[in-house]
């Protein structure tokens, strides 16, 4: 729902057209066989194409002395490789850097659609997308855990932290089991979803408020105030969008670092 989709204004005997569930549910734009493709799906496809296309173009024919495009890609790749992979995982990070780079830039672009004209929707405000990404992370770190430690060692890695008095394991082991296997992917998905959902809702509320309060001299004052708030929140959202992509990627690296540890 956009502000200009209603002719309702302040002092016209009509209520404020607040954002609703329909701000996040979209009619199919087209169908591919039995699959109905909506706006959020299109944004996800475009985000994937942008990430893959950018790095493919940059590194398809790498040069020893990089051009500007390759240099930019190397700087972005190295930011995740060194700033997240090496810092969190250490020397064993290299095999996982492509995953971390893909997650960071895919999530960032999915978030940033919120402030792009005509799109105006962070695709990650639809819970299915953070949930799918969290599932990818869960499958990856669970696979790495058991591949590194074997079945018994993997269970110990997930459920039995070392260096603690034996009596405390009676309480701690089931807590660690639930936390590492079930709570991690849930919180990973919900954290990203909730931040993007709330941010988009705030921007929508103030955009609609800007339009709704127009029409009178008194209303114009409120409209300008609402517009200023929209701009301020949008700038703040740009920071949050990058931060959430960073947090998601850092947590993924943290889980992988634990998975690579030998069971005690």
């Amino acid at each position: 729902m956009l502000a200009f989709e209603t002719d309702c204004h302040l002092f016209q005997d009509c209520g404020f057209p607040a954002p609703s569930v329909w701000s996040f549910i979209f009619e199919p734009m087209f169908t591919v066989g039995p699959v109905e493709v909506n706006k959020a799906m299109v944004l996800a496809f475009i985000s994937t194409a942008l990430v893959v296309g950018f790095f493919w173009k940059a590194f398809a024919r790498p040069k020893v002395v990089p051009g500007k495009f390759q240099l930019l890609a190397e700087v972005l790749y190295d930011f995740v490789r060194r700033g997240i992979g090496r810092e969190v995982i250490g020397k064993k990070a290299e095999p996982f850097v492509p995953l971390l780079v893909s997650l960071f830039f895919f999530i960032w672009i999915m978030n940033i659609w919120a402030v792009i004209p005509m799109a105006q929707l962070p695709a990650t405000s639809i819970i299915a997308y953070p949930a799918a990404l969290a599932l990818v992370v869960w499958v990856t770190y669970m696979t790495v855990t058991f591949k590194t430690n074997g079945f018994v060692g993997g269970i110990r890695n997930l459920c039995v932290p070392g260096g603690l008095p034996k009596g405390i394991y009676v309480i701690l082991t089931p807590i660690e089991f639930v936390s590492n296997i079930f709570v991690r992917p849930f919180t990973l998905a919900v954290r990203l979803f909730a931040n993007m959902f709330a941010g988009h809702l705030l921007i929508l509320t103030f955009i609609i408020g800007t339009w709704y309060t127009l029409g009178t001299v008194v209303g114009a004052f409120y409209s300008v105030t609402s517009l200023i708030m929209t701009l301020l929140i949008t700038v703040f959202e740009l920071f949050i969008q990058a931060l959430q992509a960073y947090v998601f990627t850092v947590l993924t690296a943290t889980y992988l670092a634990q998975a690579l540890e030998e069971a005690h």
Side-chain angles (χ1 to χ4, degrees), residues 9-80:
H9 291 284
L10 188 65
F11 305 129
Q12 290 185 353
D13 296 325
C14 56
F16 177 72
S20 68
V21 66
W22 299 108
S23 301
F24 299 89
I25 297 177
F26 301 92
E27 294 294 327
M29 298 176 69
F30 57 90
T31 59
V32 179
V35 180
E36 295 181 338
V37 180
N38 60 25
K39 181 178 181 178
M41 294 172 68
V42 169
L43 295 179
F45 290 141
I46 296 173
S47 300
T48 304
L50 288 173
V51 174
V52 173
F54 176 79
F55 287 104
W56 186 282
K57 174 69 175 176
F59 298 128
R61 296 179 180 177
K63 299 178 181 178
V64 177
V65 180
K68 292 181 180 179
F69 193 76
Q70 183 184 329
L71 181 61
L72 174 61
E74 288 180 358
V75 168
L76 295 176
Y77 186 90
D78 212 44
F79 164 73
V80 178

Side-chain angles (χ1 to χ4, degrees), residues 117-181:
M118 303 305 293
Q120 297 174 307
L121 172 74
T124 44
S125 66
I126 310 297
I127 186 61
Y129 297 98
L133 292 169
L135 180 61
V136 169
V137 173
W138 183 85
V139 170
T140 302
Y141 80 72
M142 292 293 285
T143 301
V144 172
T145 297
F146 289 105
K147 186 176 180 180
T148 302
N149 299 284
F151 180 75
V152 175
I155 295 297
R156 289 174 62 86
N157 181 289
L158 290 167
C159 305
V160 188
L164 297 173
K166 293 183 179 179
I168 201 171
Y169 286 114
V170 177
I171 300 173
L172 191 60
T173 297
I175 293 175
E176 286 291 301
F177 176 81
V178 173
S179 174
N180 291 335
I181 297 178

Side-chain angles (χ1 to χ4, degrees), residues 214-226:
L214 282 175
T216 64
V217 175
V218 175
F221 170 78
Y222 293 111
S223 182
V224 170
T225 304
S226 184

